Amino acid sequence: MTDRFIRVALAGIGSCASSFVQATVLSRDSGPRMAGVMHEHIGGYRLGDVEFVAAFDVDGNKVGQDLADAIAVAPTAALNHVPVPLTGVRVRSGPLLDGLDGNLSEMVHPHPDCASLTAADVTAALRQSRAQVLVCFLPTGSTAAVQAYARASAEAGVAFVNATPEPVANRAELVELFVSRGVPLLGDDLRSHLGATTLHTALLELLQSRGMHVANTYQLNVGGNMDFYNLADPTRSRSKQISKRRALTSAGIDSDDVAAGPNGYVKYLGDRKVCFLRIEAEGILGTPVSMEIRLEVEDSPNAASVVANAVRIARTAADQGLVGVVDPVCPFLFKSPPAGLPESEALRRFQHFVEKSARPATAYTGAARS
Ligand SMILES: NC(=O)c1ccc[n+]([C@@H]2O[C@H](COP(=O)([O-])OP(=O)(O)OC[C@H]3O[C@@H](n4cnc5c(N)ncnc54)[C@H](O)[C@@H]3O)[C@@H](O)[C@H]2O)c1
């Protein structure tokens, strides 16, 4: 194993994990300009340098399968765009905790081992696999389970990417744990690469840059994957609503009056997500301006583009000895970073970080060092 690989573990082998695994496979055969990937190199790493070394889930139909097979198991909704060769990584059971509370409990039957596993078992598995980065793709609302994986990751000396809206980078006690263990942390809640939040905040910034007053705006989202099914349960969608509002607040909008969130599960859409966006603003002489946009995307690949950045940043941050929240990149990659920024400033700081880190990778062995 040479040092230029990034040894990645995944927790939650659902739609986002499927698209990310497929993207890494495709990138190995792609030229330098793979669509949807912003940078061929980050910190000296290509996306094709990602190697999967561990995978965790609780679904009895996924545990024990090779990662390549598990990513295609129903109810995962991500489409298969690329044949994925066997990885040699078997999906392990993880601690269940609140992972399948709500609607998901009707669809997914947990593996019997999951009830007795703890964060310490995840730490041991991460050490054994010599993982360097753990990406957490657990369902929204599973606060206890997400935080258990975060603790396990910090204890194993493994950089953590929190794709979910559950607070990790926003939980002081966990941030301190990552700092004290000398481990980088990225989060919370992926900002889809070209999704509703990104489009919405970019348009609001455009209007504000012209001195327009935004009076009313909404962003309504429907989709048919498991994430939307889970979010149809109000007890599970709270953290997502808060996260979307935080992103709008960072764009300079009083989010109290804005409707923004997951607004419905429409089964036949599968992994397609449709966003209806309206903005009403006022220009000079009180003249009204309004716009309505319908954005349709494939939801999970949209997350894979962001994770393609995030895992390479996480590895680069570790190479550079950065610990705790990697502040310069989180406002661009996540909806709920500890300190948000307007879209253009977030992009500028992200690009600056990537440009600064354009140098060959140095030795960092992640979990192996502990
Ligand atoms: N699709 C996007 O663009 C996007 C954007 C931002 C954030 N996210 C977030 O990413 C996360 C994953 O989304 P998804 O569409 O892949 O969801 P999904 O429902 O398809 O997959 C979740 C997986 O986690 C597993 N799981 C549940 N509890 C577990 C536990 N305790 N341990 C290990 N595995 C467990 C489930 O069995 C399932 O396989 C969600 O929190 C979502 O909000 C996605």
Side-chain angles (χ1 to χ4, degrees), residues 25-219:
V25 169
L26 183 63
S27 72
R28 290 181 194 131
D29 300 326
S30 294
R33 297 182 68 87
M34 183 168 151
V37 176
M38 290 172 73
H39 293 281
E40 187 191 1
H41 291 98
I42 295 180
Y45 301 102
R46 296 181 72 241
L47 179 55
D49 294 334
V50 167
E51 276 222 324
F52 296 102
V53 297
F56 303 89
D57 206 291
V58 290
D59 185 333
N61 293 324
K62 296 178 185 175
V63 170
Q65 300 252 25
D66 187 282
L67 177 61
D69 296 326
I71 59 174
V73 170
T76 293
L79 301 182
N80 296 324
H81 291 281
V82 177
V84 176
L86 290 179
T87 60
V89 174
R90 298 235 161 250
V91 177
R92 303 170 191 243
S93 306
L96 176 59
L97 299 166
D98 51 0
L100 298 177
D101 286 359
N103 288 348
L104 294 179
S105 61
E106 297 161 18
M107 300 274 264
V108 181
H109 302 293
H111 189 277
D113 290 351
C114 299
S116 56
L117 291 169
T118 66
D121 296 303
V122 177
T123 302
L126 289 172
R127 285 192 174 133
Q128 189 202 8
S129 68
R130 294 171 47 241
Q132 294 165 323
V133 180
L134 172 62
V135 185
C136 182
F137 284 128
L138 263 56
T140 296
S142 42
T143 316
V146 169
Q147 294 184 349
Y149 279 96
R151 280 193 189 91
S153 199
E155 296 295 353
V158 173
F160 191 73
V161 175
N162 182 23
T164 83
E166 305 316 305
V168 176
N170 284 289
R171 179 84 187 260
E173 166 223 333
L174 290 173
V175 174
E176 278 163 30
L177 180 64
F178 277 86
V179 171
S180 70
R181 298 295 185 271
V183 181
L185 165 63
L186 278 77
D188 297 323
D189 196 12
L190 286 187
R191 175 187 280 265
S192 292
H193 202 54
L194 215 157
T197 301
T198 296
L199 181 64
H200 201 174
T201 52
L203 287 171
L204 292 172
E205 196 178 341
L206 173 70
L207 288 165
Q208 286 160 347
S209 72
R210 267 58 180 175
M212 316 290 282
H213 291 173
V214 176
N216 296 301
T217 182
Y218 64 70
Q219 178 209 117

Side-chain angles (χ1 to χ4, degrees), residues 6 43 45 131-133 157-160 181-186 310-324 326 353 357 359 361-367 369:
I6 310 177
Y45 301 102
Q132 294 165 323
V133 180
V158 173
F160 191 73
R181 298 295 185 271
V183 181
L185 165 63
L186 278 77
V311 290
R312 291 182 293 164
I313 295 274
R315 171 75 156 101
T316 304
D319 289 342
Q320 295 178 358
L322 302 179
V323 303
V326 187
F353 183 97
S357 59
R359 59 176 183 75
T362 55
Y364 169 70
T365 53
R369 72 184 170 170

